[in-house]
């Protein structure tokens, strides 16, 4: 704000008028224009061109209506923040939290005070609503929130249509013109937009706590394309019931000149509160087995009982011999869980008791053997089996010796579910247990606040290869620029039986996968996942080319660079761990020829150890060629990807 505005603004505010204001990112690439109170809208320009606008501000509170209808600006405050935040695990060892902030304090409808806070980063604009403590009211009921995003100039939209608010968030991703998005249909977030000049923007939310999750919906008749927020309703029909003070989650538009910016961003992490966990020394990311995906096998032939001590020892030995930190103990060949349950299958019923181990599982003996081999135990639980006894259950889990827990089948993101998930994280942290959430909405940066949260599912992933070909490489390359933008993603990695598209047959036991062996290796680099699965059965890996890369590749990183990004088509990631860089490249359909700039290495000579698609890979997708050679940091690297192919490399000084 210039000196002239500083002189006249108090008089304007006193008169009940406000001229609107701008907020510019630290590097000048993003510019937000806020118009209050006449319109209660904002707009966003990226690289000097307006991409969103007008976008409405709207929060409806029971008994007051829309707080922004006739709202009056009382004051505005600005600040600049530039700090480095250490990251316990993730795509980099630290995040730069650098933004310009504007806080507008308003007298809203019915006299209720409300603030709207904007933050403008180099790669995003974020805003949220805050209702401060006030003498007249101690709580509020949010009946609706109709924040909107006005999409300009008809970009391509990558959308996941949701059938209703009760969903696992595991759907195909459609590519459509923004004005052709189905109207009056729930749209999952992140929703990514790409303009003809390459500019990309992804709409999502951060710091979802004590609030309803946000979907989007295109409203017909609002040209050219207006996407309105839709909050998941509570069972009682309200959206949010909160004591004051309260803050909504951040509504975020990640933006950049290309899709690369979306995957390099750490803004969602920065928008969350610092860790609520004191000692984090017990938190250790690492790879894990996942017997459910492969059909509870050790080798190609079923050898029951999988929960028997001898079979558990064999798989624990496989983990110990190959640097896999976690071994899962989930269920038996009938999908009957490890805990006491009378009802057949994974879903709880009367008599389900997660605090008691089923009689035929000698868990103390399994745990003792795992400890002797330096392996930790991970398991699974249905979220419904924890309800009403979260603290009791996690106290029991700690005594049993579990190190990690996948909690599954949430299938909602209303306020009650969000708060329930947070209670699980808090109890798990108290008892030193790591968490995966499955059947779950997208992450919103909670890893900063709850670093025992390893990842979410929230996408159609490679488990679907058990039942059909609905997770082909082009789907993965759309997921990478939509759901993965939100944060770490469990994708059921490690399938070692690649087949050509024309030869694919679904198998629930010993599933096949699409994409070449190198494509599936590269997912360990391209997908953020601190505890990735090595999901195939043990014997599927032994003696197989490429398994040495699975054993070696880290699961957390000190630095991330995106070298190439074409939504649905190609992704190339470079990740640094210590002094070594790991490259991962994946392509859909194709073939693809890539010319990669190695300037990120810095000056000097480097040793490159690579695994690439070979001449016969189009016929047998499991074949690959391993090479070692010297490369220059000032040079380039040419890479050929076979159809649905991939490439991985380790580059060391």
């Amino acid at each position: 704000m210039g000196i002239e505005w500083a002189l006249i603004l108090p008089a304007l505010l006193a008169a009940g008028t406000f001229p609107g204001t701008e907020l510019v990112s630290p590097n000048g690439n993003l510019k937000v224009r806020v118009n209050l109170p006449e319109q209660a809208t904002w707009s966003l320009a990226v690289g000097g061109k307006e991409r969103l606008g007008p976008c409405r501000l709207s929060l409806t509170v029971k008994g007051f209506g829309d707080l922004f209808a006739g709202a009056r600006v009382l004051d505005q405050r600005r600040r600049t923040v530039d700090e480095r935040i250490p990251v316990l695990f993730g795509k980099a060892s630290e995040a730069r939290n650098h933004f310009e902030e504007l806080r507008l304090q308003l007298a809203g409808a019915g006299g209720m005070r409300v603030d709207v806070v904007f933050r403008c980063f180099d790669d995003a604009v974020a805003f949220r609503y805050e209702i401060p403590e006030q003498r007249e009211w101690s709580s509020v009921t949010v009946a609706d929130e109709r924040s909107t995003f006005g999409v300009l100039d008809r970009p391509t939209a990558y959308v996941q249509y949701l059938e209703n608010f009760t969903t696992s968030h595991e759907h195909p991703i459609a590519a459509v013109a923004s004005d052709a998005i189905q109207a009056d249909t729930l749209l999952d977030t992140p929703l990514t937009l790409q303009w003809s000049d390459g500019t990309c923007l992804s709409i999502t939310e951060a710091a979802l706590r004590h609030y309803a999750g946000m979907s989007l919906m295109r409203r017909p008749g609002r040209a050219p394309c207006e996407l309105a927020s839709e909050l998941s309703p509570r069972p009682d029909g309200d959206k949010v019931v909160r004591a004051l003070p309260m803050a909504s989650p951040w509504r975020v538009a990640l933006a950049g000149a290309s899709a690369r910016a979306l995957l390099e961003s750490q803004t969602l992490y920065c928008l969350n509160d610092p860790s609520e966990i004191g000692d984090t020394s017990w938190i250790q990311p690492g790879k894990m087995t996942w017997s459910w995906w492969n059909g509870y096998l050790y080798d190609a032939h079923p050898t029951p009982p999988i929960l028997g001590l001898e079979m558990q020892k064999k798989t624990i030995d496989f983990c110990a011999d190959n640097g896999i930190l976690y071994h899962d103990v989930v269920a038996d060949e009938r999908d009957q869980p490890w805990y006491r349950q009378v009802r057949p299958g994974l879903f709880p019923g009367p008599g389900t008791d997660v605090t008691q181990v089923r009689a035929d599982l000698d868990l103390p003996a399994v745990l003792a053997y795992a400890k002797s081999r330096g392996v930790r135990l991970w398991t699974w639980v249905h979220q419904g089996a924890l309800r009403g006894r979260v603290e009791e259950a996690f106290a029991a889990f700690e005594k049993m010796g579990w190190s990690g827990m996948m909690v599954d089948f949430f299938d909602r993101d209303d306020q009650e579910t969000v708060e329930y998930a947070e209670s699980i994280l808090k109890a798990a942290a108290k008892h030193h247990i790591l968490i995966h959430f499955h059947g779950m909405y997208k992450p919103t940066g909670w890893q900063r606040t709850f670093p025992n949260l390893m990842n979410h599912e929230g996408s159609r992933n490679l488990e679907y290869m058990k039942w059909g070909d609905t997770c082909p490489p082009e789907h993965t390359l759309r997921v990478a620029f939509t759901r993965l933008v939100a944060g770490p993603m469990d994708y059921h990695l490690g399938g070692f039986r690649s087949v050509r598209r024309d030869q694919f047959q679904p198998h629930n036991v010993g599933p096949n996968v699409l994409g070449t062996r190198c494509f599936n290796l590269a997912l360990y680099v391209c997908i953020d996942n601190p505890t990735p699965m090595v999901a195939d059965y043990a014997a599927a890996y032994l003696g197989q080319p490429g398994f040495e890369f699975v054993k070696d590749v880290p699961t957390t990183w000190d630095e991330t660079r995106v070298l190439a990004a074409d939504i649905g088509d190609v992704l190339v990631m470079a990740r640094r761990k210590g002094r070594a860089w790991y490259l991962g490249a994946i392509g859909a359909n194709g073939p693809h020829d890539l010319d990669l700039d190695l300037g990120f290495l810095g000056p000097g000579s480097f040793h490159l150890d690579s695994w690439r698609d070979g001449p016969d890979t189009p016929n047998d997708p499991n074949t690959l060629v391993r090479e070692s050679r010297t490369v220059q940091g000032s040079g380039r690297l040419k890479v050929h990807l076979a159809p649905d192919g991939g490439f991985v490399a380790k580059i060391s000084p």
Side-chain angles (χ1 to χ4, degrees), residues 11 109 147 189 194 229 273 287 337 362 398 424 459 488 535 543 571 582:
S147 308
T189 57
Q194 185 170 43
S229 62
D273 293 331
K287 304 178 191 87
D362 191 350
E398 182 180 27
I424 289 171
S459 71
L571 174 62
Y582 291 79

Side-chain angles (χ1 to χ4, degrees), residues 60-76:
T60 299
V61 173
K62 274 191 174 181
F64 296 88
D66 187 348
L67 297 184
F68 287 84
R72 183 166 57 90
V73 178
L74 301 176
D75 196 8
Q76 71 160 316

